[in-house]
Every structure is written in structure tokens, then in C-alpha cells.
Amino acid sequence: MSISSAQVESIVRKILGEISPATGCGSCGGAVPKTAKVATLTAPKKIEVKEYPIPALEDNDILVKVEGCGVCGTDVHEWRADPFGIIPVTLGHEGTGEIIALGKNVKTDTAGNPIKVGDKIVTSVISCGDCYICRNQPANTNLCDKQGVFGLIPHSDAQPLTGWFATHLLIRGKGATYFVVNDLDLKERMLLELACVCVHALKRANSTGLINFNSKVLVQGLGPVGLVMISVLRAAGVNHIVAIDGAPKRLEMAKKLGAKTVISFKEVTTLEERVAMVKRAANGVGVDFAFQCTGAPMAAKDIYEYIRRGGGMCEMGFFVNNGEYTVNPHFAMCNKEITIVGSWDYSADDYPTTMAFLRQAREMNIPIKELITHTFPLDKLNEAMEVNISQQGIKICYVAE
């Protein structure tokens, strides 16, 4: 039996159509799977792995095979109590993976770099483009009234691949931003979003003019944010960092990352003693600048005591509403003339700077990748959340099998 070339082509097209639903694909890296597994938060403390059809690729879409994703404190807050009111949701916003299909209109990433199937990629914020900030301050899209991020988008059966806690992510939607990161390894890429939070905080701090090579800088709270903040400060040339926390493993890691003075609040139990230690490390008067990285109101109110007159502080520990604290503004702020800045999230234009930080950390042998202490597969994400809460490790990640 003879088969014509036209018949062969017809058979091939039929098989490929059955394998891949990505009908709008301008470029595909081999066969696109028909389904993807998604770890959906269906109720507080309940992540279930479900399987969904992969939607057909549209002209401006990117389909990514997920390689890994950090577990953020925001993910944990949402897992515990749904403070954002978005259940059901597929969490995971510190993710990275490999592009396996591109819509025909996608030629470059957000920075203007060429993009292709096989590239490693990360996502940044999704801005609305219509609010006052987007229209008048495009460099500050972290303040967009309707800012979104992959991993905090309520679930939709029509497009279920909206978070990195999955086997695949579909980048779709107005305002989505993304970057090619081929020169970074998996651990660096999983730390990139977290590092961007700290790079943005340093930018806010630098606006005060109080940080330079001679500055004594304090970091209070040595969770992943505080420890990466130390790494960013070291890479930026700050040579004397004071670090405060209660966990021995985190204090030891702070030393490895470059902190010169570490203080355990479990050993130095009174505020007065801790203030005296900080002053001894900081010219007898207190630090020039402090980063408040805890989400604990009782700790947050202490930070003003560590800062010298004329110093400054960046508050970056309260991404969710963890409560209030009371200070006397005369003594805490006015009498000392403290400059205070807040830091919220990051903008897409902070990403290239953060990539440069990760390269600089590698060049300086800052062991930032040692922050990743535990990895879990997709079906063990409930356990990953528990390990995060128990502080058994430092940085917890989902890594695809």
C-alpha cells in the first residue's frame, strides 16, 4: 500500500493535534502535554493536587514547564487563614521554569531581550495599566491599585495555570511581566523574587541618603527576607551589619552571609541590654539605618531604640496585617529626627538590578544559595507549609520531580 506525502502530512498533523492543545503556538519545544497538575489551595490548610487540560495557547501567551518555586511567607499566611479571600487559588509566585511554547506575537521579554523556546524564565508583577500610578508613575507599578502576581490569582477552570505550584504555568493577561534568566541556576532563580523584595527595600533606603560604605546597619528578623537583606547589603558594600533574631541557625547563617555582630533576643532578654550591645557595635550612639523585617508588632516597636539620632529605618516586615504597636512619636521619631520609609513589594524594573545582585553575590562568594534548606515535590506542599511554620529550615522550596 502506497501513501502519498499529502496523506503522511495529514496523519502527522492529526497526531500532533491530539497531543497538543496549544493551537495558537508560534513556537513549541516538542510536544506540549494535554494536561497539567496543579496544587490548588481549596480550603485553609488544604492543598490538593488536581489535573486540568492545558488551555489552547493564544498569540501573546507563554507556556512554561515549572522547575521550582520558593515558598513565601505570603503563601503560608494564605494557606493558614486566607487573609486575601482568594480561595480556591494556586499559590506560588517565586517560581521559574523553561519555556516550552510561545504565542506567535511574543518576541522579547519585558527588558527587551530576545525570547525563545528553551529559555529559563521568571515572572514579575502584573500591573493594570489604567490606575493613577500606572498612568503617571510607571516606574512605581508596585503601588498599582490593582496589581496582580502569578500565584495570588483566584482559580479559574478556564485558565487554571495561574500559579507556580504546578507542573506548568501559562503566562497570559494584560500587564504581565517576565524575564529571561538563562545565566542563573535553579537555586538562584528560585531566590530571585525574594531578593527583588530586598533590592527594592535598599532602593527605598538609599533615597534617605543614610547608607554608604561607612554605615552601621541593623537587620531585625532573620527569616528569609532578613537574611537576603543582609546579602544585598553586603553586595552593596555595607561592611558592618548588626543582626537580631532568636533562632541559633538563623544567627549562624547571618554570620556566614556577612553580619559582623549578631544578637540573640533569647539570650539577651531585655531591650536595654540589646540597645547597649547595638550601641557598642555602632560608634556608641546606635546604627545609622535599620531594616525591620519581622512581622511581630512587639519586635517592630523596639527598632527605634537601636537607631541613632538622625538615622533612618525601612519597614518591610508587614506585608499582611499582623496587628499594631505603640510608640511615643516624640522619643521614637521627632526628638531623634528619624527618616522612615516603607517598602512594598517591587516593580518590574527592579528585576534587572536583582539579577545583577545575584551575579554579584556569586562573584563575592556570598553563600546565598545555602538559604535553601528543604525541597518538596508537588504532592507534599502541605508538609512544606508546616515545615516553614515550624522554622525547621530557612528557605523552603517546591522542586519539580
Side-chain angles (χ1 to χ4, degrees):
M1 182 180 69
S2 62
I3 301 177
S4 69
S5 59
Q7 288 174 310
V8 171
E9 183 178 354
S10 176
I11 293 169
V12 170
R13 286 183 181 276
K14 182 180 178 181
I15 292 172
L16 289 176
E18 290 174 351
I19 293 174
S20 173
T23 56
C25 179
S27 177
C28 296
V32 174
K34 296 177 69 173
T35 63
K37 292 182 178 179
V38 173
T40 303
L41 180 66
T42 57
K45 297 186 178 181
K46 187 178 181 181
I47 294 176
E48 300 180 80
V49 177
K50 300 185 177 185
E51 195 161 1
Y52 294 95
I54 293 177
L57 216 67
E58 297 178 0
D59 291 345
N60 297 304
D61 292 351
I62 303 173
L63 183 63
V64 183
K65 182 179 180 181
V66 177
E67 294 179 329
C69 181
V71 175
C72 177
T74 303
D75 296 320
V76 175
H77 285 299
E78 180 60 25
W79 179 80
R80 294 175 78 172
D82 190 24
F84 304 114
I86 55 176
I87 287 178
V89 61
T90 301
L91 298 172
H93 56 271
E94 299 180 353
T96 185
E98 181 177 323
I99 297 171
I100 60 171
L102 283 173
K104 66 180 183 180
N105 291 342
V106 184
K107 306 298 182 184
T108 64
D109 70 3
T110 300
N113 299 308
I115 193 169
K116 64 184 185 304
V117 166
D119 282 338
K120 308 298 185 181
I121 195 172
V122 294
T123 51
S124 184
V125 293
I126 307 168
S127 54
C128 75
D130 299 320
C131 70
Y132 175 85
I133 292 293
C134 287
R135 287 185 285 106
N136 294 282
Q137 299 183 37
N140 296 325
T141 52
N142 61 307
L143 302 178
C144 167
D145 291 337
K146 300 176 183 178
Q147 185 201 65
V149 63
F150 291 103
L152 291 173
I153 300 171
H155 175 81
S156 165
D157 282 343
Q159 206 303 69
L161 310 183
T162 57
W164 286 97
F165 289 170
T167 58
H168 296 79
L169 179 83
L170 181 58
I171 301 174
R172 168 181 289 174
K174 175 184 175 183
T177 54
Y178 41 86
F179 297 87
V180 173
V181 284
N182 291 333
D183 66 322
L184 302 178
D185 65 29
L186 178 58
K187 287 186 176 181
E188 290 169 328
R189 288 184 272 130
M190 290 192 296
L191 290 169
L192 197 156
E193 193 272 352
L194 168 59
C196 199
V197 170
C198 298
V199 166
H200 182 79
L202 180 60
K203 182 168 73 175
R204 296 286 292 135
N206 281 336
S207 70
T208 69
L210 291 167
I211 295 183
N212 55 53
F213 290 109
N214 195 42
S215 298
K216 306 294 191 296
V217 177
L218 181 140
V219 176
Q220 178 175 255
L222 301 179
V225 171
L227 290 169
V228 174
M229 195 70 241
I230 289 173
S231 304
V232 169
L233 288 165
R234 282 293 298 118
V238 176
N239 294 310
H240 198 137
I241 300 167
V242 180
I244 299 179
D245 198 88
K249 289 182 180 179
R250 294 182 173 188
L251 290 163
E252 186 60 35
M253 180 60 71
K255 288 181 182 177
K256 292 183 72 172
L257 293 170
K260 281 193 176 179
T261 303
V262 297
I263 300 171
S264 170
F265 63 75
K266 291 185 177 179
E267 295 178 4
V268 186
T269 56
T270 70
L271 177 60
E272 291 73 21
E273 290 178 292
R274 293 196 295 274
V275 170
M277 289 186 68
V278 171
K279 286 185 175 180
R280 283 197 294 271
N283 304 317
V285 293
V287 294
D288 302 293
F289 201 90
F291 289 87
Q292 204 299 109
C293 302
T294 79
M298 287 298 293
K301 74 178 182 61
D302 292 347
I303 202 162
Y304 301 93
E305 302 294 326
Y306 303 128
I307 303 168
R308 67 165 173 84
R309 296 187 77 182
M313 187 265 283
C314 178
E315 172 58 66
M316 56 185 300
F318 288 85
F319 188 78
V320 297
N321 182 1
N322 284 332
E324 301 175 355
Y325 60 86
T326 301
V327 296
N328 185 315
H330 168 70
F331 292 109
M333 304 168 196
C334 294
N335 179 265
K336 295 173 79 171
E337 203 166 88
I338 297 294
T339 301
I340 302 172
V341 295
S343 184
W344 179 257
D345 214 348
Y346 46 78
S347 295
D349 65 350
D350 291 313
Y351 261 60
T353 305
T354 305
M355 296 173 210
F357 153 69
L358 289 167
R359 299 179 192 111
Q360 179 72 0
R362 187 194 303 165
E363 184 73 18
M364 294 176 64
N365 295 315
I366 299 172
I368 187 171
K369 292 191 286 187
E370 292 183 25
L371 293 176
I372 298 174
T373 56
H374 294 71
T375 61
F376 292 86
L378 196 65
D379 61 352
K380 299 293 184 183
L381 281 173
N382 287 300
E383 183 181 343
M385 299 293 177
E386 295 284 6
V387 170
N388 189 302
I389 291 168
S390 67
Q391 296 188 10
Q392 296 175 45
I394 297 175
K395 186 62 183 175
I396 316 301
C397 293
Y398 151 54
V399 173
E401 294 180 312

